[in-house]
Amino acid sequence: MMTTKSILNNGLVGRSLLTLKDYTEDEINYLINLAAELKEMKKKGIPHRYLDGQNIALLFEKPSTRTRCAFTVACVDLGAHPEYLGKHDVQFGKKESTRDTAIVLGRMFDGIEFRGFSQATVESLAKYSGVPVWNGLTNEFHPTQILADFLTIKEQKGHLKGVKLVYVGDGRNNVANSLLIGAAKLGVNIRICSPKELFPSNEVVAYAEKLSEDSKGEILITDNIDEAVNGVDVIYTDVWVSMGEEDKYKERIDQLLPYQVNSEMLQKTGNENVMFLHCLPSFHDLETEVGLNVYREYGLKEMEVTDEVFQSVNSFVFDQAENRLHTIKAVMAATNHRL
Ligand code: CP
Ligand code: NVA
């Protein structure tokens, strides 16, 4: 049982979360366990106002459902006031530099969440604001997502070390980069399966390979689907076109159609209990504007995952979405409480 005392003694107070590179294996496991504890407390109605009276800025350059809602609800549960600052609402970027914005926000707020384009922006906010800054997604990384993914896996499998996870799709996007780093830190056996043009950068792979020497994790980067999915515990995918790359639909469909997660791919794992994960949002039917446009233009009814797999008993995507709340709450409580 995590107690107020162990939250006090975590050594994380005042830290930002810009990428999972900044955190050790023990610290990441600590945050996942704290999230499980906070989830339990919320379900039992036990108050956990570890940020009582604080004000938290939520700065968004890109849209969001899960991350925005998770930070908002987590703030309120922790006793803090969340203030949403959309890119059209504030001077940031148009009339005011990142540095000046950071200093101003740091004078008024106790913590800042940032979602946007450049990793350099979130790093600058941390450098100049003087308060903890949490990365809610940049082009390069999505660290809070991976905490929720790992909590979801741990809930089903009971542990993380040695779990075999394959990420299939755009292997060089923010989610793939963060999964690779998080898995290498925690000793999760990770395989990234994508066409060669979409392999993660040499820099991220080299970093993860170095880490996995200590954590005893295994890393495989391959374009071979049969090899990648064989015997895995978890199949994970993400959209083929990330926010900010909307001109790339044709190119990505051509590259990634063979990598669609479908029932045939699930069968190839040889594991009837294989978990399916997706950070969401997902194009698995024609119930979205973008999905419908892609259907009209390219004749495709489903993209990165079929509706059959998305809706199947193997799919834990909504547990994963809920766990964004508990893990983001753990990050804020651990890094910003004043108990
Ligand atoms: N998974 C995720 O980050 O979702 P949102 O874009 O809705 O925040
Ligand atoms: N790779 C996706 C993740 C969305 C949560 C994107 O950046 O759009």
Side-chain angles (χ1 to χ4, degrees), residues 68-84:
R68 174 178 177 177
C69 296
F71 271 99
T72 303
V73 175
C75 279
V76 174
D77 287 353
L78 290 167
H81 166 79
E83 189 64 30
Y84 179 78

Side-chain angles (χ1 to χ4, degrees), residues 15-16 51 54-59 71 75 80-83 85 102 105-114 125 129-134 332 335-336 338:
R15 297 258 299 271
S16 291
L51 303 190
Q54 292 194 20
N55 290 289
I56 305 295
L58 309 180
L59 186 54
F71 271 99
C75 279
H81 166 79
E83 189 64 30
L85 306 170
L105 294 182
R107 296 282 182 108
M108 299 192 194
F109 289 93
D110 301 284
I112 301 167
E113 179 277 352
F114 173 76
L125 287 169
S129 66
V131 295
V133 173
W134 306 293
M332 287 197 290
T335 58
N336 225 21
R338 304 207 183 108

Side-chain angles (χ1 to χ4, degrees), residues 130-147:
V131 295
V133 173
W134 306 293
N135 181 351
L137 179 148
T138 58
N139 291 345
E140 292 93 332
F141 299 113
H142 197 5
T144 64
Q145 177 68 52
I146 276 56
L147 299 176

Side-chain angles (χ1 to χ4, degrees), residues 63-68 115 136-137 142 145 243 279-281 324:
S64 164
T65 298
R66 276 143 292 272
T67 309
R68 174 178 177 177
R115 162 170 291 201
L137 179 148
H142 197 5
Q145 177 68 52
M243 289 179 276
C279 56
L280 307 183
R324 299 297 310 286

Side-chain angles (χ1 to χ4, degrees), residues 62 115 137 142 145 173-175 238-239 241-243 279-281:
K62 288 177 178 174
R115 162 170 291 201
L137 179 148
H142 197 5
Q145 177 68 52
N173 78 9
N174 39 23
V175 170
D238 184 11
V239 289
V241 176
S242 286
M243 289 179 276
C279 56
L280 307 183

